[in-house]
Amino acid sequence: MSAIPVQIGRRVPVAPEMRADGPLVDTHGRVHRDLRISLTDRCSLRCTYCMPEQGNEWLARESILSVDEIVQVARVAAAAGITTFRLTGGEPLLRRDIVEVVRRLSAIESIDGPVQVAMTTNGIRLDDALDDLVAAGLHRLNISIDTVRPERFAALTRRDRFEDVRRGIEAAAASDLRPLKLNAVAMRGVNDDELCDLVDFAIAHGAEMRFIEQMPLDAGHEWDRGTMVTRDEILAALAQRWQLSEMPGRGGAPAERWLLDGEHTVGVIASVTAPFCGDCDRLRLTADGQLRNCLFSADEFDLLPVLRGDRLSDGDSDAAIDAVLRGCVWAKLPGHAINDPSFLQPARGMNAIGG
Ligand code: SAM
Ligand code: SF4
């Protein structure tokens, strides 16, 4: 396979047909560099915008990828130009083998050198696991926290675990992992009165606060565009307190970044009101071996038969994984169509896709 150096967010001329080598390019010229790997659909919280309180239909245990299977897909993806793996879920720290996953993924070489391994977590158990994760090669952390008020946290996540999350964030703050990012979904009437407090909390922990527009990925299918807190409203709330200046150089990153009084930074991920699909360089692997080319796609590309087909040699199964990766990227639509009246929410909830 040829090693073609590419840059994040870069587009390349579109070939008339899908290529069998080179970087993972779609029919719109977008080069894919980032693979989000969901390790489980299970979670220690039940955030209202993500999971149902009860009655979740869990993925079948026997379909969950083993470490060997995850590493095989990741290795083939890296050879095809993926440079970052982001571990997510569900809650990735619920996997007992999480340190081994990080250790083996971080040993993979990409076409540009060692891959970057990042994780998005709710922070519970992080204080216990962090030293081992860093020693295993973890590069970056995003920790989700939607409120700094413990009672509100318990209502929003349906679990009384604020102190566990706070301890995890303190452990991350004391580590060398930088940049450290805290994620909050902005919700009207729930936490939109504490956006500045969240920024203060992030600053106090040496982290960057990132606000996310709520997306239609909740288990209850109750998302309402009319009540969603928009990027403009988030910025207006912050502007009451700080002078905001936009930072250039976004590349393929989902967050627009702003300087507050020329000193601190904040990110806003406006997937609904300012979609960034045109620069998307991301692919997703679910915990049960399905490749997805978009959070919102209706189609999945099944890797389980390739990974578990007993008639394939290692070399043949690598080639088959590469072909599935390329087919999945080639089928990617130009955008997510949330704003189209015909939009249908995906069958999987966010916890089973991997955020
Ligand atoms: N459990 C981990 C966590 O919460 O960080 C990782 C998985 S979670 C699905 C990843 C991210 O997706 C979190 O930052 C969460 O806030 C975000 N998320 C979940 N549901 C969402 C929704 N409906 N709209 C926007 N963001 C969402
Ligand atoms: Fe769990 Fe993360 Fe979903 Fe909250 S957002 S329920 S922590 S997977």
Side-chain angles (χ1 to χ4, degrees):
M1 217 170 275
S2 63
I4 300 176
V6 284
Q7 294 164 355
I8 288 177
R10 181 176 161 192
R11 284 165 181 264
V12 297
V14 179
E17 285 175 9
M18 191 174 84
R19 291 185 49 164
D21 61 6
L24 295 168
V25 186
D26 69 12
T27 58
H28 307 277
R30 292 170 294 192
V31 177
H32 287 65
R33 310 297 307 272
D34 181 328
L35 178 64
R36 312 258 155 145
I37 302 175
S38 176
L39 296 178
T40 176
D41 59 330
R42 301 197 174 235
C43 191
S44 37
L45 300 178
R46 292 289 181 277
C47 303
T48 49
Y49 51 73
C50 180
M51 289 182 75
E53 184 165 16
Q54 285 173 337
N56 194 65
E57 285 180 25
W58 305 110
L59 299 177
R61 278 193 190 273
E62 61 277 12
S63 69
I64 302 295
L65 297 187
S66 66
V67 185
D68 284 345
E69 289 168 337
I70 292 167
V71 169
Q72 188 180 1
V73 177
R75 187 172 42 72
V76 175
I82 294 291
T83 56
T84 301
F85 302 126
R86 175 168 292 280
L87 305 177
T88 180
E91 177 44 46
L93 293 177
L94 287 185
R95 279 280 291 234
R96 283 169 209 255
D97 49 12
I98 183 66
V99 174
E100 189 192 350
V101 172
V102 171
R103 185 175 53 74
R104 292 188 55 191
L105 290 180
S106 66
I108 293 175
E109 284 285 316
S110 79
I111 57 175
D112 291 344
V115 294
Q116 294 275 307
V117 180
M119 184 187 293
T120 302
T121 169
N122 65 26
I124 295 172
R125 296 188 177 178
L126 187 59
D127 53 336
D128 274 348
L130 190 58
D131 288 349
D132 291 340
L133 292 170
V134 172
L138 184 70
H139 292 99
R140 289 197 307 275
L141 266 177
N142 287 21
I143 308 175
S144 303
I145 179 160
D146 300 314
T147 172
V148 291
R149 304 185 192 177
E151 283 160 27
R152 210 175 249 195
F153 182 94
L156 167 56
T157 66
R158 303 173 175 126
R159 298 287 186 273
D160 190 7
R161 307 288 302 267
F162 179 80
E163 277 308 310
D164 296 312
V165 174
R166 196 183 53 72
R167 272 204 306 279
I169 293 173
E170 283 184 355
S175 78
D176 292 332
L177 292 185
R178 292 294 182 279
L180 174 63
K181 294 176 183 165
L182 303 187
N183 290 352
V185 178
M187 289 163 280
R188 196 174 306 284
V190 177
N191 64 354
D192 56 341
D193 58 345
E194 58 170 313
L195 304 187
C196 294
D197 294 347
L198 280 159
V199 174
D200 284 335
F201 180 86
I203 292 170
H205 290 85
E208 174 176 293
M209 195 67 223
R210 306 200 323 165
F211 295 107
I212 309 174
E213 283 183 347
Q214 187 174 348
M215 296 179 278
L217 290 166
D218 57 309
H221 291 225
E222 283 165 8
W223 179 84
D224 178 356
R225 186 189 169 83
T227 58
M228 184 195 78
V229 179
T230 65
R231 158 196 184 272
D232 289 353
E233 290 174 299
I234 294 166
L235 293 175
L238 302 180
Q240 304 255 327
R241 165 101 176 265
W242 294 282
Q243 173 109 32
L244 268 57
S245 41
E246 191 169 359
M247 297 173 70
R250 179 179 182 184
E256 296 169 87
R257 297 176 72 229
W258 303 78
L259 261 181
L260 305 177
D261 286 347
E263 202 180 345
H264 304 293
T265 55
V266 74
V268 180
I269 302 178
S271 317
V272 182
T273 65
F276 36 87
C277 304
D279 287 323
C280 181
D281 67 351
R282 288 171 284 286
L283 263 183
R284 292 185 152 77
L285 174 65
T286 67
D288 59 343
Q290 308 298 306
L291 268 179
R292 299 175 62 91
N293 55 28
C294 176
L295 263 181
F296 299 97
S297 55
D299 298 326
E300 299 184 333
F301 294 72
D302 193 356
L303 280 168
L304 279 187
V306 179
L307 287 165
R308 297 183 180 177
D310 51 11
R311 278 171 296 151
L312 291 175
S313 68
D314 280 357
D316 286 348
S317 66
D318 281 5
I321 292 166
D322 182 71
V324 176
L325 282 165
R326 288 176 192 284
C328 176
V329 170
W330 195 251
K332 185 158 172 157
L333 298 175
H336 60 41
I338 296 179
N339 298 314
D340 191 299
S342 63
F343 172 76
L344 283 179
Q345 190 169 329
R348 286 178 189 257
M350 184 66 140
N351 65 306
I353 296 174

